[in-house]
Amino acid sequence: MQAFSADDDPHGSWLDERRAQAVAEFSKTIPALYRDAIDLHPEVAAWADRDDTAPSSLFLWGPLGVGKTHSAWQAIARWIAAHFAGAYRGTPVVQSWRSTALFDALRPDDTGGTPKTLMKQLQTADLLYIDDVAAARVSPTGWTQERLYEIFDERYINRLPILITSDVKPGEISHIVGERVTSRSAEIFRGGVVHLGGDDRRKAGAR
């Protein structure tokens, strides 16, 4: 059988180079603490590399300090590599938010509404990542929960993926995100709930 070099497929070589550049650019946006490559849970890796048979959305949960956020950032970089679409669509658009910052951003502004540009970005990004969704000590207002539902429902309708990290199970976040989002999440994350176990790495590192 004849062997082929990268020179035999210049388009493929160009695409690989563009893909690597896209991942490198995204990696610059990852918080410094989470930039080191780690071994991903097999189901998380499968989500990042997914084909049409794998869940499109991922709910990553487990106790504090087991590496959920680190896993999420590394999985997104891998997801971008898998979903890079060359010259036509280029790098997938990722919206990444810590939950508390997102809830603040969704509060009514001086006009009595949530900025339309922000809502559109959250509804249409190729991937929406919400970190530590149960971190809020005070539940968002009904207004914010309604905006969350609009985001989740729009993404569900258009089959756009969501990645969430949490220290509690999907069914235990209703006091934060509201009953409607919790109900919709049951469909969005069906087959895509991964539990990370283990000890708190932060405490281990402090010994």
Side-chain angles (χ1 to χ4, degrees):
M1 181 179 295
Q2 182 180 359
F4 290 90
S5 69
D7 293 337
D8 295 314
D9 183 9
H11 177 74
S13 179
W14 171 85
L15 190 61
D16 288 342
E17 182 178 344
R18 287 287 306 276
R19 181 182 292 108
Q21 290 174 349
V23 173
E25 286 300 311
F26 173 78
S27 296
K28 294 177 183 178
T29 72
I30 298 176
L33 185 63
Y34 307 119
R35 288 180 187 169
D36 290 341
I38 59 174
D39 291 331
L40 293 176
H41 185 290
E43 291 181 68
V44 176
W47 171 82
D49 299 335
R50 85 177 193 91
D51 57 28
D52 291 337
T53 64
S56 63
S57 293
L58 180 67
F59 193 105
L60 192 56
W61 75 280
L64 296 174
V66 295
K68 300 183 297 295
T69 300
H70 201 151
S71 293
W73 280 110
Q74 291 299 311
I76 294 171
R78 189 160 165 169
W79 183 92
I80 287 174
H83 291 77
F84 184 78
Y88 176 60
R89 293 195 60 199
T91 306
V93 175
V94 178
Q95 280 279 325
S96 59
W97 290 80
R98 185 168 175 82
S99 62
T100 48
L102 177 60
F103 299 157
D104 283 343
L106 292 176
R107 289 175 180 168
D109 59 17
D110 293 337
T111 67
T114 298
K116 292 182 179 179
T117 300
L118 173 61
M119 285 295 292
K120 190 69 172 178
Q121 291 171 341
L122 295 169
Q123 290 175 325
T124 62
D126 295 303
L127 174 64
L128 173 61
Y129 166 41
I130 305 174
D131 182 49
D132 206 0
V133 76
R137 295 183 179 180
V138 179
S139 298
T141 64
W143 169 276
T144 300
Q145 290 179 346
E146 282 297 314
R147 302 295 77 74
L148 284 170
Y149 178 74
E150 290 178 20
I151 294 164
F152 273 60
D153 191 56
E154 187 71 16
R155 297 187 68 82
Y156 171 75
I157 291 170
N158 290 291
R159 296 294 188 264
L160 292 172
I162 301 172
L163 169 58
I164 283 179
T165 62
S166 172
D167 57 6
V168 298
K169 300 176 183 179
E172 298 175 355
I173 60 173
S174 60
H175 65 293
I176 298 293
V177 300
E179 293 289 349
R180 298 179 76 194
V181 171
T182 304
S183 176
R184 177 59 80 210
S185 295
E187 297 180 72
I188 291 173
F189 297 106
R190 181 173 290 123
V193 178
V194 176
H195 177 251
L196 289 187
D199 298 325
D200 189 331
R201 300 178 185 179
R202 302 185 188 99
K203 291 181 178 179
R207 291 172 185 167

